[in-house]
């Protein structure tokens, strides 16, 4: 999934979220311990928060600028510069997190208490107070990101080398299973050298979490959701339970159709699906194999990839079209600096981190995206996703620094995708991308195509952090990293690797968010929330009809309510923000079931007589 780069106030602070739940008992001392005789006061707590925000703003802007340069000019020097800036920011955030614990026992006003709690939970990777360990952690994280960004696979006996950007369309479009296995396996030669560094990074970050009062880093991550850490894990499982039957039906149909195409000796009908046959490097989205599993009697009526290639739009034109959707809802246009400073296409003369990301550089109006855009339907949707981050960033930029983030990190990921759900055939016709709206009998094909991305993603979105939680708490030791990774992928996704994957490999590292240290639960939550948001916004727009046909394009009423929620930032616990838009304080996956109801019925009919499960 696209990564958001919200430079707020911590190293790799990718979409950090609100947390009013107090941290576990935290150390009451820090590098600048206050004498015991000087008991803290409420006034001191308020001043501390204000000073902390000023200090973090300055350091975070410097870190954002150096990380932008590193991502766009990958060299030894830019890595070192970014590492030094991140080291300063991390050290300051660790110091402030420990200082915040001084005020644990005070009776304070709501905002001061909430901001103190957010300071204690600010870091994605908390470094220990030892300056040498802080420097080592910063160096490792910079090296891991560069290793991923520079990764390539060189074919045996050939001078031909492929980057991930080269391999992605090959895996999507080729149908030779031997070539697909070579590509799939080739990319995973990039990650084994990361493993030793990753193990060390976990050791240091766990020590930092312990100094803040958490048993391990996974507990700290789960404590950021306005509820106890264990309750959050339970909530994730509850939401998965709501959608698991739909996923199982989709899996059964896809496996059967792949078996018809490749043969049941390649795709056994009682086993997990081979991961390299699903059209995506991580088998997290399956839309690229649509033509292999589509209903035989359904014509979608258009090929958006072909249309985008032939319509004459540039990559920048695609972004301007995405911006126009948001402005139709009442959002102000993006600033001119966005168009001057963003990266839209891969440069021919240097390595860059092509992974799509959205950046807020200065807490005001310096907004950017960075992606190597291809003229495809997938990237057209990704553009809406990334712009959703940018418009959210600007909506809350009047909040105090510590509230300049989404209600929870799933909200940030969901906003752009909520808008993308409104990119319906009717909308595409209105903006000139297609000539006619397909008839209603094409709906199953359209829903299946969406499900191959949206529903297929859900178990992957759940398991990435489940794996990391085990790594962080020690239940998955380094000698079992790969085994546990594939055990989870088989359990939840029903997929398996195409060849033996022993512990000499580090397959989790082949997914950007692992070496990039981006928490992944946000993407699972986003896939739940986007449908819940969509259902509520469609009602506000006055829409009546099948949920999957609704577009909120040009609905100022829906836009007004959306903007009001976004402007809250993280100033209130996320259930309050959710209720403001949906009327419900609980996340609810039933909107997914509503949206895909016609497809569920069709899948059940197709699967009659098939052996489902694995």
């Amino acid at each position: 999934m696209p990564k958001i780069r919200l430079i707020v106030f911590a190293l790799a602070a990718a979409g950090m979220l609100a947390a009013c739940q107090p941290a576990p008992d935290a150390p009451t001392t820090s590098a600048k311990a206050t004498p015991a005789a000087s008991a803290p006061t409420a006034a001191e707590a308020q001043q501390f928060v204000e000073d902390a925000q000023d200090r973090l703003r300055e350091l975070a802007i410097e870190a954002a600028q150096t990380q932008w340069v590193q991502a766009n000019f990958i060299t030894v020097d830019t890595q070192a510069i970014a590492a030094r800036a991140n080291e300063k920011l991390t050290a300051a955030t660790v110091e402030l997190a420990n200082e915040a614990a001084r005020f644990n026992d005070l009776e304070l006003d709501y905002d001061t208490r909430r901001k103190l709690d957010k300071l204690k939970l600010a870091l994605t990777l908390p470094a220990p107070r030892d300056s040498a360990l802080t420097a080592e952690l910063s160096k490792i994280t910079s090296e891991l990101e560069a290793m991923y960004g520079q990764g390539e696979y060189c074919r045996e006996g050939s001078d031909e080398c492929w980057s991930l950007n080269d391999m992605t369309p090959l895996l999507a479009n080729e149908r030779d299973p031997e070539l697909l296995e070579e590509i799939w396996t080739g990319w995973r030669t990039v990650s084994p050298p990361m493993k030793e560094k990753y193990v060390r990074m976990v050791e240091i970050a766990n020590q930092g979490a312990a100094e803040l009062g958490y048993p391990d880093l996974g507990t700290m991550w789960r404590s950021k959701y306005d509820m106890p850490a264990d309750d959050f894990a339970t909530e994730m499982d509850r939401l998965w339970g709501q959608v698991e039957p739909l996923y199982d039906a989709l899996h059964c149909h896809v496996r059967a159709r792949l078996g018809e195409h490749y043969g049941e000796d390649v795709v056994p009908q009682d086993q997990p699906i081979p991961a390299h046959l699903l059209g995506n490097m991580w088998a997290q989205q399956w839309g690229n194999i649509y033509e292999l599993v589509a209903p035989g009697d359904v014509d979608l009526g258009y090929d958006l990839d072909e249309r985008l290639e032939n319509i004459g739009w540039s990559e920048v034109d695609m972004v301007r079209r995405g911006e126009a959707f948001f402005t139709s809802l009442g959002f102000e246009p993006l600033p001119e600096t966005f168009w001057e400073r963003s990266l839209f296409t891969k440069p021919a003369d240097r390595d860059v981190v092509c992974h799509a990301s959205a950046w807020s550089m200065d807490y005001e109006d310096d907004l950017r995206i960075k992606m190597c855009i291809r003229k495809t339907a997938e990237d057209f949707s990704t553009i809406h996703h990334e712009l959703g981050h940018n418009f959210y960033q600007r909506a809350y930029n009047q909040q105090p620094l510590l509230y300049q983030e989404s209600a929870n990190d799933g909200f940030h990921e969901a906003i752009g995708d909520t808008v993308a759900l409104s990119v319906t055939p009717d909308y595409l016709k209105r903006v000139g991308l297609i000539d006619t709206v397909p008839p209603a009998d094409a709906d199953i094909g359209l829903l299946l195509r969406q499900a191959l991305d949206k529903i297929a993603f859900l178990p992957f979105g759940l398991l990435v952090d489940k794996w990391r939680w085990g790594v962080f708490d020690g239940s998955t030791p380094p000698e079992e990293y790969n085994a546990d990774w594939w055990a989870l992928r088989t359990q939840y996704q029903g997929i398996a690797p195409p060849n033996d994957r022993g512990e000499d490999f580090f397959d989790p590292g082949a997914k950007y968010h692992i070496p990039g240290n981006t928490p992944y639960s946000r993407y699972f939550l986003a896939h739940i929330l986007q449908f819940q948001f969509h259902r509520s916004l469609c009602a506000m727009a006055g829409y009546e009809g099948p949920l999957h046909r609704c577009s909120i394009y040009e609905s100022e009423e829906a836009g007004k309510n959306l903007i009001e929620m976004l402007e809250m930032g993280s100033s209130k616990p996320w259930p309050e923000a959710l209720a403001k838009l949906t009327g419900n304080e609980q996340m609810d996956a039933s909107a997914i079931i509503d949206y895909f109801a016609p497809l569920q019925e069709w899948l059940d009919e197709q699967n009659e007589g098939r052996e489902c499960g694995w």
Side-chain angles (χ1 to χ4, degrees):
M1 301 301 295
K3 178 186 177 186
I4 177 176
R5 175 66 74 167
L6 279 177
I7 304 301
V8 182
F9 49 89
L11 173 64
M16 293 183 303
L17 47 117
C20 69
Q21 179 69 24
D25 293 339
T28 56
T29 61
S30 73
K32 295 184 177 181
T34 300
S38 178
T41 66
E44 288 175 352
Q46 292 171 353
Q47 188 61 51
F48 168 78
V49 166
E50 294 305 312
D51 292 345
Q53 291 184 118
D54 291 341
R55 181 180 177 190
L56 290 172
R57 180 189 299 272
E58 180 179 350
L59 290 172
I61 290 173
E62 179 185 356
Q65 292 168 338
T66 60
Q67 288 172 359
W68 177 265
V69 172
Q70 179 204 5
N72 288 282
F73 300 88
I74 303 175
T75 69
V76 172
D77 295 323
T78 59
Q79 291 174 51
I81 293 168
R84 286 195 294 270
N86 284 335
E87 180 184 340
K88 288 194 295 182
L89 177 57
T90 303
T93 310
V94 170
E95 177 188 323
L96 292 169
N98 283 283
E99 287 287 337
R102 290 180 53 225
F103 306 102
N104 279 356
D105 298 328
L106 286 178
E107 290 288 335
L108 297 170
D109 63 275
Y110 169 85
D111 283 315
T112 301
R113 172 55 60 200
R114 185 167 179 80
K115 290 173 184 176
L116 287 168
D117 289 337
K118 287 168 66 61
L119 275 172
K120 289 184 291 187
L121 288 165
L123 285 165
T124 300
L125 288 179
R129 282 167 283 176
D130 184 311
S131 60
L133 291 178
T134 298
E136 183 181 0
L137 181 64
S138 183
K139 181 173 183 289
I140 289 172
T141 57
S142 182
E143 289 173 344
L144 285 171
E145 183 153 346
M147 291 169 75
Y148 189 96
Q150 294 175 312
E152 62 179 10
Y153 161 61
C154 296
R155 307 186 75 183
E156 187 175 353
S158 168
D159 294 333
E160 187 175 17
C161 293
W162 291 334
S163 69
L164 180 60
N165 219 44
D166 298 324
M167 288 185 278
T168 295
L170 290 174
L171 203 67
N173 298 310
E174 293 291 340
R175 297 295 178 249
D176 175 356
E178 292 184 1
L179 176 59
L180 293 173
E181 182 174 350
E182 179 193 353
I183 295 166
W184 187 96
T185 305
W187 175 243
R188 282 155 181 78
T189 63
V190 170
S191 51
M194 300 177 186
K195 183 175 180 180
E196 184 178 352
K197 295 179 184 295
Y198 189 81
V199 171
R200 179 58 177 156
M201 184 205 72
V202 170
E203 292 173 351
I204 298 173
N206 266 342
Q207 183 176 335
E211 290 185 9
L212 292 174
Y214 298 90
D216 61 81
L217 184 57
T219 303
M220 181 176 170
W221 282 11
R222 296 192 303 276
S223 296
K224 299 180 179 184
Y225 287 88
D226 292 318
M227 61 176 65
D230 290 345
D231 288 0
F232 175 70
T234 300
E235 178 71 355
M236 295 277 281
D237 289 335
R238 180 188 69 81
L239 292 167
W240 167 241
Q242 286 185 275
V243 297
E244 186 177 8
L246 177 57
Y247 177 81
D248 289 347
L250 180 67
H251 180 281
C252 187
H253 175 70
V254 167
R255 183 177 62 189
R257 295 302 299 269
L258 289 178
E260 294 172 11
H261 181 80
Y262 290 108
E264 294 188 8
D265 56 328
V266 177
V267 187
Q269 294 302 290
D270 59 350
Q271 298 294 318
I273 301 172
H276 64 301
L277 302 179
L278 289 163
N280 175 273
M281 186 61 78
W282 308 278
Q284 68 182 59
Q285 293 166 311
W286 305 347
N288 290 321
I289 62 164
Y290 172 77
E291 79 279 2
L292 300 182
V293 303
D297 58 347
V298 170
D299 180 7
L300 294 184
Y302 62 91
D303 182 334
L304 192 53
D305 284 356
E306 180 180 326
R307 185 63 173 164
L308 284 166
E309 186 63 40
N310 296 333
I311 198 173
W313 286 3
S314 68
E315 291 82 359
V316 174
D317 290 333
M318 292 170 66
V319 181
R320 289 196 181 276
R321 184 64 260 168
E323 178 197 36
F325 200 120
F326 285 90
T327 57
S328 84
L329 301 177
F331 290 86
E332 292 296 318
L334 291 164
E336 190 58 35
T337 53
F338 172 87
W339 305 102
E340 296 168 353
R341 299 171 185 175
S342 292
L343 178 76
F344 300 117
T345 58
K346 187 180 189 306
D349 61 344
R350 66 182 190 272
D351 289 325
V352 300
V353 177
C354 275
H355 194 91
S357 53
W359 300 59
S360 174
M361 305 294 290
D362 64 353
Y363 307 102
E364 295 179 5
D365 223 29
D366 189 352
L367 306 169
R368 309 177 191 179
I369 64 169
K370 176 187 60 59
M371 62 184 293
C372 304
I373 298 172
R374 297 164 298 149
K375 295 179 184 179
T376 65
E378 180 181 0
D379 276 15
F380 190 53
S381 178
T382 297
I383 287 166
H384 287 78
H385 177 99
E386 297 303 333
L387 292 180
H389 290 310
N390 287 145
F391 281 103
Y392 204 165
Q393 288 160 341
R394 189 166 62 180
Y396 56 55
N397 70 8
Q398 298 304 304
Q399 292 283 354
L401 176 72
L402 291 171
Y403 290 160
Q404 287 194 33
E405 53 189 9
S406 59
N408 73 36
D409 54 2
F411 277 62
H412 232 307
E413 298 299 333
I415 294 304
D417 282 346
T418 299
V419 169
L421 289 176
S422 285
V423 181
T424 61
D426 179 66
Y427 164 74
L428 295 175
K429 182 177 183 298
R430 292 168 71 182
V431 299
L433 270 173
I434 61 176
D435 298 323
T436 58
V437 176
D441 60 9
D443 283 4
I444 293 300
L446 292 169
L447 285 170
L448 177 60
R449 189 159 195 161
Q450 279 187 296
L452 290 169
D453 287 336
K454 302 286 188 180
I455 304 305
F457 174 78
L458 288 168
F460 186 80
L462 181 70
L463 70 85
V464 171
D465 276 353
K466 278 186 175 287
W467 178 82
R468 274 194 288 210
W469 296 342
V471 168
F472 295 149
D473 70 18
S475 59
T476 293
E479 60 270 19
E480 297 176 12
Y481 275 6
N482 235 38
D484 284 5
W485 174 255
W486 283 108
L488 286 168
R489 300 204 68 183
T490 298
Q491 176 186 349
Y492 285 97
Q493 285 187 281
I495 68 165
N499 46 55
D500 182 60
R501 310 303 295 172
E503 293 303 327
D504 290 340
F505 299 103
F506 181 47
D507 292 339
K511 175 62 181 169
Y512 174 79
H513 300 72
I514 300 298
N517 296 298
T518 305
Y520 213 74
S521 297
R522 64 188 59 170
Y523 301 112
F524 175 82
L525 297 179
H527 276 64
I528 303 296
L529 288 166
Q530 64 187 260
F531 290 94
Q532 192 172 359
F533 292 163
H534 181 65
R535 183 168 61 183
S536 295
L537 289 167
C538 287
M540 294 169 188
Y543 173 80
E544 296 180 1
L547 188 57
H548 63 276
R549 285 175 164 250
C550 168
S551 177
I552 63 168
Y553 180 60
E554 295 185 327
S555 172
E556 293 185 2
E557 180 63 22
K560 178 177 73 69
N561 285 279
L562 178 60
I563 291 169
E564 287 177 359
M565 184 190 75
L566 302 186
E567 288 175 343
M568 294 171 66
S570 66
S571 62
K572 302 294 181 183
W574 66 260
E576 292 188 31
L578 181 62
K580 187 171 186 63
L581 188 65
T582 70
N584 185 356
E585 290 194 349
Q586 186 177 52
M587 290 182 284
D588 180 14
S590 67
I592 294 178
I593 306 305
D594 290 350
Y595 189 97
F596 288 102
L599 179 66
Q600 176 79 69
E601 182 179 352
W602 181 84
L603 287 171
D604 290 342
E605 292 173 357
Q606 302 303 305
N607 290 332
E608 287 182 10
R610 290 172 173 167
E611 183 176 358
C612 297
W614 56 88

